[in-house]
Amino acid sequence: MSKEPSRHRRHPAKGPKPSAGPSATTTPPDRKHLLSRLPSQFGAWGSWWAACAIILVAASVTRFGEPVALIPPIDNSLLAGGEAWNPWLSRFPSLMPLFVWPTWLAIAAIAVLIAAVAQRTLRCTAAGCVIAMVVGLCQIDPHGGFLAACLTYAAIRLRDRVLAHDEPSRDKSLRTFALVGLISGAALATTLEMAIPLAILALTVVSVCQQAIANRLRVGLILGLTAGWLLLLIGLFALQPGLLAAMMRPLTAIIDRPPESLMPSMQVVWKTPDFGWPHVVVLLFIIDCWRRWFMARSTRLSDGLLLALFTALAVGSGRYFWLASLAIACTASSDRFVLLQTAEQTSNRRWRWAAIGMAMALLAAHLGLQRHEILGSLSSARTVDTGQWNLAGPVVVQNLDLANAWELQDARQTLPLVVNDRWDIYGDFYPQYAAIVNDWSNWREHRYVRSDGQWGGFRKWFDEWNPKLIVVDANDLSTIRHHSLDSPWKTLGIDSDRVIFAQTDDRQASAPLREAARLLSILEIPRPAPEVHFERAIAFGGPSDSRKVSLVLSALRFPFAALRVLPDDDQTETEYARTMALLESAHRTLRYTGVPSLIDQTRALAHSQKLFARSDLQPPQRQQIETAIETLKQQQRIGSVDASSIRRNREQQDLENTIRDRLLEGEFTEATVLLPKLNHGALRDLLEVTATMPLQPTRNIRAALQAINQPGIRDSDDFAEIHFYVGTCSIELGDFDAALEQLRAHLSWDTSHPHKDLSAAFCGQITN
């Protein structure tokens, strides 16, 4: 019996080799065959990426042109000195343009990361939880944590691979420590939040050491590599000033939190200004991660430790919420978090299409609701260009959440901040800085003893810093109003995020201040003027920006300008801004004449009653309106004089006063009932328009008042008051020719009506 050759016995399954003929090299490859060889996960990841990109576009639809800094610029603040540590790459200014991306490019990159996390998480939990996580994270501001999140994802993936293999080999150990060194170097070179990926790498190194000791394999090599890595980090801490403080940023963000007035975004997550339903959705996803850790088949204490640390960071500081939540999602996407009932679950195409459908629905909703915002952002800038003023000097920022946007401006080199949002540098100084800024807001210039026993007063510090500009949060209307009259700091620029003040005795700022004052005056009282470029002092942006700017203008005592910049809609925020502007106009008339403005005050009261009936009016807004109304009525009781210049019989005079009082109290129904008892004439028509049309557009009110003032019915001097109201309505509408005509007609009446001085002032501003 013959034996089979040995080569056939060793390879029984190997057949004859195909001949290499001409057809083997000339036949083109099948395209469908190549596409079919791509990993099946690629299509699933592409679906998640599309969903993430669409949701991110919907959330950032009005900010496409704004820059996003992947690497923070080098700290050039006035008080930083040599104690500030900066990422290594930020120390090369020539490289920084490579890391400042437009918003659309940053959206594409962030979508890659979130899609990768979603694809892995889908193996471990229900698809609904994954969709909730994706929707929530795509709607929340990353606060510059994108690169730190990428490095955190890489560190967690490395740790998962180490834990998946129990027996370390020489090649695996060398590869692991090479990746540890690479991720560590990238963290130190690119981000201030290097502590989070380094902490995960430290746990990875501990796991490698435990495996080596347990298996007694390559113990010396692994311990030597671990010691080298630790010694390198310790050497960097010793040689790099401020590096240890930067490493402690996540811890100090919770333990030594900055004052709320200084950095609202650093407060607990539900107290941050941007807290909303996306945060609630992500918090529910975090609860699901904890549930899976408790119910997992092979729980690890280190996983629970990471979840606890990241949960404390996400809840304890709104600035870290996005980064910590993504770290939790990465940690809970490992095989150790796969439950029995979800172990066989794969990425289902129907759920991916559901995610894309939900993303498209969100995009359609955002485009539908914010279409005017998009058009407004395209036609008008959202921020004032600070470089156009050619100023140079330190800048004091009241709300340090605005510091990041300030440092991305072209003028950051010539206008450095005194203090920025680096709490690892200024954490101990923040309470003192907040007190200094508060003293400036309330104009407590000289030394005094504060309630904590420390000396107050901002003059000493301002003499030392010599600030060129002061930047105030646009939402801090009380500070803006406080500096609207007698303060030596005047408004230089306004946008929806900030109001910029400069000092009047600063020669370098005198020309920009004069131009800003002229532009605001023209915006308040329109008049023919050459070369009017409002963008040099004010940026309107879209409708939501215009509402914020309107509130700022009302606080600066420019009510007509505030009414003119408002969008023509009926949203609650618009109604609130309109009510505040009308109240400011009524305050001004009463303050300068001693007589209430019948038209403005009744309109303000009618709009306030309309607002109070809405459920979405915020309590602080309601309180602000109620306070303004009460102050107005109190001033009216103290200093008001008789508005009527005509002496009638006593019965008619008492009836007129009663109707006026009812209207000025907002009791429109009672006033309407009394109107038929009043004699026919211009006064009755004026009071009827006031009682029945307070919610009508200004153009309709002016038309109704002009209809009274017709030839043939001029029966009394009541037309003097009508001329005044028609003139002020014309100013509000921007019709300066009609305003000048009506106000001059008001001045031509031979009466001693109290409104005449204010009419003369308006005429002087129009003709100046």
Side-chain angles (χ1 to χ4, degrees), residues 391-431:
L391 301 177
V395 178
V396 172
V397 177
Q398 178 208 39
N399 183 351
L400 293 180
D401 284 342
L402 302 172
N404 184 49
W406 185 273
E407 292 185 336
L408 290 178
Q409 299 178 132
D410 295 334
R412 68 178 300 268
Q413 297 296 335
T414 56
L415 293 169
L417 299 178
V418 174
V419 169
N420 60 15
D421 59 350
R422 290 283 301 274
W423 63 90
D424 54 302
I425 303 173
Y426 301 110
D428 295 337
F429 184 64
Y430 275 162

